[in-house]
Amino acid sequence: MGEKSVQKKKYIVETARKVFMEKGFKKVTMKDIVEACEISRGGLYLYFENTSQIFLEVLRLESQEADDVFSDSIKEDATAADILLLFLAEQKKELLRKKDTLTQATYEFYFENELPKRENILKKQFDSAAKIIEKLIEIGVENGEFYCEDCKGTARNIMFVLEGLKISAQTIGITPEAVDREILYILRGLGVEDEEN
Amino acid sequence: MGEKSVQKKKYIVETARKVFMEKGFKKVTMKDIVEACEISRGGLYLYFENTSQIFLEVLRLESQEADDVFSDSIKEDATAADILLLFLAEQKKELLRKKDTLTQATYEFYFENELPKRENILKKQFDSAAKIIEKLIEIGVENGEFYCEDCKGTARNIMFVLEGLKISAQTIGITPEAVDREILYILRGLGVEDEEN
Amino acid sequence: MGEKSVQKKKYIVETARKVFMEKGFKKVTMKDIVEACEISRGGLYLYFENTSQIFLEVLRLESQEADDVFSDSIKEDATAADILLLFLAEQKKELLRKKDTLTQATYEFYFENELPKRENILKKQFDSAAKIIEKLIEIGVENGEFYCEDCKGTARNIMFVLEGLKISAQTIGITPEAVDREILYILRGLGVEDEEN
Amino acid sequence: MGEKSVQKKKYIVETARKVFMEKGFKKVTMKDIVEACEISRGGLYLYFENTSQIFLEVLRLESQEADDVFSDSIKEDATAADILLLFLAEQKKELLRKKDTLTQATYEFYFENELPKRENILKKQFDSAAKIIEKLIEIGVENGEFYCEDCKGTARNIMFVLEGLKISAQTIGITPEAVDREILYILRGLGVEDEEN
DNA sequence: CATGAATGAGAGTTCATTCAT
DNA sequence: GATGAATGAACTCTCATTCAT
């Protein structure tokens, strides 16, 4: 596969990404992607055998970009509390964007694709995020920004709350206020006094 | 619809429930249900137009039974802490049963069925469970079993943690130990000292 | 499957038979049969999963009818030589009808369908035909019509010659005269003097 | 077409030959051959328009080599009976090698390619083999090795028996013993007493 | 009420064939 | 000459849904 093909493959993945954001995972057919990409039926099969393969590629791209974004925000000379707040604000924004998110598609995808590959991406993302939060809290504690007895437990707890908010946003719906309340609750648990928001 | 029909409808819903537990929601076709029920194709259409309608009925049945179970355990003369522990243990059991659960099917269902109906069941269940936990905590605080400054926030937090655990169990997989850790963390947040478990 | 369905199945088999006679086996698609039968795409799948299944049914029907035809001709009070001549004449007619024969389709079918089922029909037909010829020759020898030292070997030899003629007719082509010469050769081997034909 | 091209064409034909031996004729696609040859899709089309053209070339090559083999064995100072036995033994070996033979592919090819070309190769091979056998028998008769009244008829009969055995081997299956019995029958017909084999 | 045969739309997939490079 | 990406036609197969009985 030459360089040109790499370009096209990337184009397909990016186009498919939009389709997945709109329709989730299961509902999307090869035909949908063919039409979105405006290529021929057979053309798509030159690059991918099925929607799962395409979606995996979408996830891979996604997680790369996610890493980049994270390291960008950390580079700045912000305090731990600042960074945590930024992170939570980012999550909130993501949460409330019901459409234009891969959340639903990702959940659907992992519903029907068993363990072995699973660990690769979604779990990896979860674990690495948990670890980063843990580090942040530790730094915050050292700097006297936070108070916390069980940094690891707290970090994990935050992650599960975020997951809970994410899935709730997609199923029962959730208001910005509800998210704010959870964020406040998290901060209070770290001994941060809430001035405004 | 005569009584006989009511019987048959119930039979269909109960049989379909098993199918949904096994295959989730989206993958299930009318044909699957027809075959599981061993009725005629046309017969099923006399009672339901599509799988969504059937699944809604399954959910309705489910939530009735869920209420019953809850009130049963509350009737006993247990302390608030006992009841909370029981509830959390029950949730743990449910969480770890990856198959034989409607969890996945329910999520899938709400992924593609928009807001208006949503409030009906899943949200109702969520809210009522949150309220019950809140009450439990309040009672526990009164009795000196728990310590808690923001009962409502804590209850909501518990619910989101549980949701987060539930979806994680279905997607990235989760170990019993991880669930135990979260439960301990929740209890510690309520000022309960962990002896054993 | 009710009686009506049996009727339809038979109709499909009979229609498909014509298609196989015209196009052989491999070239025939489910679509071809659907169109020949003037039924719907899905309709055909109610009765048969693939062309192999249909062709097997065609063969089964064929072999039943073949048996009938044979026993019919034997019922008459003909001599062994008469019957053998009749049989060979029948074979000749069949041989030379390049189209409107299942020969080609049958060969193609057995080319790609391995042993276990194979014995069922084609081999059975071969063996039973060989046995009948053997019997005929024995009777003919008893009646002084034929002269033959190794009836079984002769019968088998006749069968292979016929097979050879059949496949040659389909591949290199064969003239009526060539067939006649072989028949004469067979008869001479049995000590029958050739008057005319 | 330069010499280089001739080389490549020959390479394609030889590689395709193996493919045809494995899969017959109809099942083989241009893609199969492209992949087996490890050349480009377009590259193959520079030399051949379709699989029929390729197969014809395979046959041409085959018949050249067949002639060579035959003349080789005849060159030796063997008796007619020896040569005939050798030829029959060779045929037997070929017959029983169900795979690694072009037999099936050849039959399939002639099934769908009508008369005009047919005479070219397969018929030519058949006729020339028949003639050689006839000559052999005549020589054998002159030398007192064989007894035979109708050399031409006998030769043709032998050819059809061999064809019958060949197609039977591919369709209903055939045992080595069955082939031996036919060979013995042929020899006995020539007045050769069977000692061992 | 109940049946199940029938329909037809639509998804998946494979290849012969072309053509710009 | 050679490459291989791209196209589109053709096939297989599955279901939701209808309807005569």
Side-chain angles (χ1 to χ4, degrees):
Chain A
M1 209 181 276
E3 196 188 320
K4 212 168 161 191
S5 305
V6 172
Q7 283 294 316
K8 182 147 186 188
K9 192 165 184 174
K10 205 178 163 194
Y11 163 72
I12 292 173
V13 171
E14 276 163 0
T15 310
R17 188 175 166 278
K18 290 172 208 156
V19 182
F20 286 125
M21 289 201 305
E22 229 179 85
K23 311 181 76 169
F25 173 70
K26 279 210 184 160
K27 212 185 258 177
V28 174
T29 68
M30 290 297 266
K31 202 187 160 216
D32 289 332
I33 295 173
V34 155
E35 278 162 10
C37 294
E38 289 181 303
I39 57 176
S40 67
R41 247 161 153 60
L44 181 54
Y45 280 90
L46 285 176
Y47 297 92
F48 299 100
E49 279 176 21
N50 49 48
T51 54
S52 286
Q53 249 181 47
I54 304 175
F55 191 72
L56 266 177
E57 211 57 43
V58 171
L59 280 188
R60 210 164 295 155
L61 206 96
E62 201 76 357
S63 77
Q64 273 174 26
E65 287 169 8
D67 287 353
D68 296 348
V69 168
F70 223 130
S71 50
D72 278 2
S73 54
I74 290 190
K75 271 177 201 148
E76 313 173 30
D77 64 337
T79 64
D82 287 344
I83 296 175
L84 188 63
L85 271 170
L86 201 79
F87 171 73
L88 292 175
E90 199 62 45
Q91 294 289 313
K92 176 184 163 189
K93 217 162 62 190
E94 176 90 10
L95 276 176
L96 297 172
R97 244 193 302 139
K98 212 175 129 10
K99 284 294 166 193
D100 298 334
T101 301
L102 280 173
T103 313
Q104 204 184 99
T106 306
Y107 284 147
E108 280 184 43
F109 176 75
Y110 280 106
F111 281 163
E112 66 173 16
N113 289 277
E114 292 309 310
L115 294 127
K117 300 148 194 167
R118 180 189 295 166
E119 313 189 16
N120 285 338
I121 303 191
L122 197 59
K123 182 155 177 44
K124 218 179 273 179
Q125 268 179 276
F126 183 96
D127 289 339
S128 92
K131 194 145 288 173
I132 289 174
I133 294 178
E134 191 185 332
K135 281 273 157 64
L136 266 181
I137 296 179
E138 284 174 356
I139 295 171
V141 170
E142 281 176 28
N143 295 349
E145 295 175 87
F146 296 147
Y147 169 77
C148 178
E149 287 183 352
D150 176 5
C151 297
K152 192 164 187 172
T154 305
R156 270 192 329 247
N157 179 264
I158 292 172
M159 282 303 294
F160 283 119
V161 169
L162 288 174
E163 280 298 307
L165 286 168
K166 225 189 280 181
I167 185 70
S168 297
Q170 298 289 331
T171 52
I172 63 178
I174 210 165
T175 62
E177 292 75 34
V179 182
D180 286 337
R181 280 190 309 237
E182 288 311 307
I183 292 180
L184 275 180
Y185 186 85
I186 288 171
L187 295 175
R188 224 182 287 149
L190 289 168
V192 177
E193 287 312 305
D194 36 320
E195 307 110 50
E196 349 98 85
N197 181 14
Chain B
M1 205 182 280
E3 196 188 318
K4 217 166 157 190
S5 304
V6 173
Q7 284 293 316
K8 184 151 182 186
K9 193 163 181 175
K10 204 178 164 195
Y11 164 72
I12 292 173
V13 172
E14 276 164 359
T15 310
R17 188 174 167 276
K18 291 173 207 155
V19 181
F20 287 124
M21 289 201 305
E22 231 179 84
K23 311 181 76 169
F25 174 70
K26 280 215 180 155
K27 214 186 253 175
V28 174
T29 66
M30 290 297 267
K31 198 190 166 210
D32 288 331
I33 293 172
V34 154
E35 278 163 10
C37 294
E38 289 181 304
I39 57 174
S40 69
R41 250 162 145 84
L44 181 56
Y45 279 88
L46 289 176
Y47 297 93
F48 299 100
E49 277 175 22
N50 48 48
T51 55
S52 287
Q53 261 185 29
I54 304 175
F55 191 72
L56 264 178
E57 212 56 43
V58 171
L59 280 188
R60 209 163 296 155
L61 205 95
E62 200 75 357
S63 75
Q64 275 174 24
E65 286 170 7
D67 288 352
D68 294 347
V69 169
F70 222 131
S71 49
D72 278 1
S73 55
I74 291 190
K75 270 178 202 149
E76 312 174 30
D77 63 338
T79 65
D82 286 345
I83 296 175
L84 188 64
L85 271 170
L86 201 78
F87 171 74
L88 293 174
E90 199 62 43
Q91 294 288 314
K92 176 185 165 190
K93 219 161 63 189
E94 177 90 9
L95 276 177
L96 297 172
R97 244 193 303 140
K98 218 179 117 26
K99 284 292 168 193
D100 297 333
T101 300
L102 281 173
T103 312
Q104 205 184 98
T106 306
Y107 285 148
E108 282 184 41
F109 176 75
Y110 280 105
F111 282 163
E112 66 172 16
N113 291 92
E114 293 309 309
L115 293 129
K117 300 150 195 168
R118 181 189 296 164
E119 313 190 15
N120 284 336
I121 303 192
L122 198 58
K123 182 154 178 45
K124 217 179 278 178
Q125 269 179 274
F126 183 94
D127 288 341
S128 91
K131 196 145 287 174
I132 290 173
I133 293 176
E134 191 184 333
K135 281 275 155 64
L136 265 181
I137 296 178
E138 284 173 356
I139 295 171
V141 169
E142 280 176 25
N143 294 350
E145 293 174 89
F146 297 147
Y147 168 77
C148 178
E149 287 182 351
D150 175 5
C151 296
K152 190 164 187 172
T154 305
R156 270 190 331 246
N157 178 262
I158 291 173
M159 282 305 293
F160 283 119
V161 170
L162 288 175
E163 280 299 307
L165 286 169
K166 226 190 278 183
I167 186 70
S168 297
Q170 297 288 331
T171 51
I172 64 177
I174 211 164
T175 62
E177 291 75 35
V179 183
D180 286 336
R181 281 190 308 237
E182 288 313 306
I183 292 180
L184 275 179
Y185 187 84
I186 288 171
L187 294 175
R188 224 182 287 150
L190 289 167
V192 178
E193 288 311 304
D194 38 321
E195 307 111 49
E196 350 97 83
N197 178 11
Chain C
M1 210 180 275
E3 196 189 319
K4 211 168 160 191
S5 305
V6 172
Q7 283 293 316
K8 183 148 185 186
K9 193 165 183 173
K10 206 177 162 195
Y11 163 71
I12 292 173
V13 171
E14 276 163 0
T15 310
R17 188 174 167 278
K18 290 171 208 155
V19 181
F20 286 124
M21 289 200 307
E22 227 178 87
K23 311 180 77 169
F25 174 71
K26 278 209 183 160
K27 211 187 257 176
V28 175
T29 68
M30 289 298 266
K31 202 187 160 216
D32 289 332
I33 294 172
V34 155
E35 278 161 11
C37 294
E38 290 182 301
I39 58 176
S40 67
R41 250 163 153 60
L44 181 55
Y45 280 90
L46 286 176
Y47 297 93
F48 299 100
E49 278 175 21
N50 47 49
T51 54
S52 287
Q53 250 181 44
I54 304 176
F55 191 71
L56 266 178
E57 210 58 39
V58 170
L59 280 188
R60 209 163 296 154
L61 207 95
E62 202 76 357
S63 77
Q64 273 174 26
E65 287 169 7
D67 288 352
D68 295 348
V69 168
F70 224 130
S71 50
D72 278 2
S73 55
I74 291 190
K75 269 177 204 149
E76 315 173 29
D77 65 337
T79 65
D82 286 344
I83 296 175
L84 188 63
L85 270 171
L86 201 78
F87 171 74
L88 293 174
E90 199 62 44
Q91 295 288 313
K92 177 185 165 190
K93 217 162 61 188
E94 177 92 10
L95 276 177
L96 296 172
R97 244 193 301 142
K98 212 178 130 8
K99 284 293 168 193
D100 299 332
T101 301
L102 281 174
T103 313
Q104 204 183 99
T106 306
Y107 284 148
E108 280 184 41
F109 176 75
Y110 281 106
F111 281 163
E112 66 174 14
N113 290 278
E114 293 308 310
L115 294 128
K117 300 149 194 168
R118 181 189 294 167
E119 313 190 14
N120 284 335
I121 302 191
L122 198 58
K123 184 157 177 42
K124 218 179 275 178
Q125 269 178 274
F126 183 95
D127 289 340
S128 93
K131 195 145 288 173
I132 289 173
I133 294 178
E134 191 185 334
K135 281 274 155 64
L136 267 181
I137 296 179
E138 283 174 357
I139 295 171
V141 169
E142 280 176 28
N143 295 348
E145 295 174 87
F146 297 146
Y147 168 77
C148 178
E149 288 184 349
D150 175 6
C151 297
K152 192 165 188 171
T154 305
R156 270 189 334 243
N157 179 262
I158 292 173
M159 282 305 294
F160 284 119
V161 170
L162 288 175
E163 281 298 306
L165 287 168
K166 225 189 278 182
I167 186 70
S168 297
Q170 297 290 330
T171 52
I172 63 178
I174 211 163
T175 61
E177 292 74 34
V179 183
D180 286 337
R181 281 191 307 238
E182 289 312 306
I183 292 179
L184 275 180
Y185 187 83
I186 288 171
L187 294 175
R188 224 182 288 147
L190 288 168
V192 178
E193 287 312 304
D194 39 319
E195 306 111 49
E196 347 98 86
N197 181 14
Chain D
M1 205 182 276
E3 195 187 322
K4 217 168 160 189
S5 303
V6 173
Q7 283 293 316
K8 185 151 182 184
K9 194 163 181 173
K10 202 178 166 195
Y11 163 73
I12 291 172
V13 172
E14 276 164 359
T15 310
R17 188 176 166 276
K18 291 172 207 154
V19 181
F20 287 124
M21 289 203 304
E22 232 179 82
K23 310 181 77 169
F25 173 71
K26 280 215 182 155
K27 214 187 253 174
V28 174
T29 67
M30 290 296 267
K31 199 189 166 213
D32 288 331
I33 293 172
V34 155
E35 278 163 10
C37 294
E38 290 180 304
I39 58 174
S40 68
R41 249 161 147 82
L44 181 55
Y45 279 87
L46 290 175
Y47 297 93
F48 299 99
E49 276 175 23
N50 48 47
T51 54
S52 287
Q53 260 185 31
I54 304 174
F55 191 72
L56 264 177
E57 213 55 44
V58 171
L59 280 188
R60 209 163 295 154
L61 206 95
E62 199 76 356
S63 77
Q64 275 173 24
E65 287 170 8
D67 287 353
D68 295 348
V69 168
F70 223 129
S71 49
D72 279 1
S73 55
I74 291 190
K75 271 176 201 149
E76 313 173 29
D77 64 337
T79 65
D82 286 344
I83 296 174
L84 187 63
L85 270 171
L86 201 78
F87 171 73
L88 293 175
E90 200 61 45
Q91 294 289 313
K92 177 186 165 189
K93 219 163 61 189
E94 177 90 8
L95 276 177
L96 297 173
R97 243 192 303 139
K98 220 183 117 27
K99 284 293 167 193
D100 299 332
T101 300
L102 281 174
T103 313
Q104 204 183 98
T106 306
Y107 284 148
E108 282 184 42
F109 176 75
Y110 280 106
F111 282 163
E112 66 173 17
N113 289 277
E114 294 308 311
L115 294 128
K117 299 149 195 168
R118 181 189 295 165
E119 313 187 17
N120 287 338
I121 303 191
L122 197 59
K123 182 153 177 45
K124 217 178 275 177
Q125 268 178 276
F126 183 95
D127 289 340
S128 92
K131 194 146 286 173
I132 290 173
I133 294 176
E134 192 184 331
K135 281 274 156 64
L136 266 181
I137 295 178
E138 286 174 355
I139 295 171
V141 169
E142 282 177 24
N143 296 349
E145 294 174 87
F146 297 147
Y147 168 78
C148 178
E149 288 183 348
D150 175 5
C151 296
K152 190 164 189 173
T154 305
R156 270 190 333 244
N157 179 262
I158 291 173
M159 281 305 293
F160 284 119
V161 170
L162 287 175
E163 280 300 305
L165 286 169
K166 225 190 279 183
I167 186 69
S168 296
Q170 298 288 330
T171 52
I172 63 177
I174 212 166
T175 62
E177 291 75 34
V179 182
D180 287 336
R181 281 191 308 238
E182 289 311 308
I183 293 180
L184 274 180
Y185 188 84
I186 289 171
L187 294 176
R188 225 182 287 149
L190 289 167
V192 178
E193 288 309 305
D194 36 321
E195 306 113 50
E196 348 98 84
N197 182 16

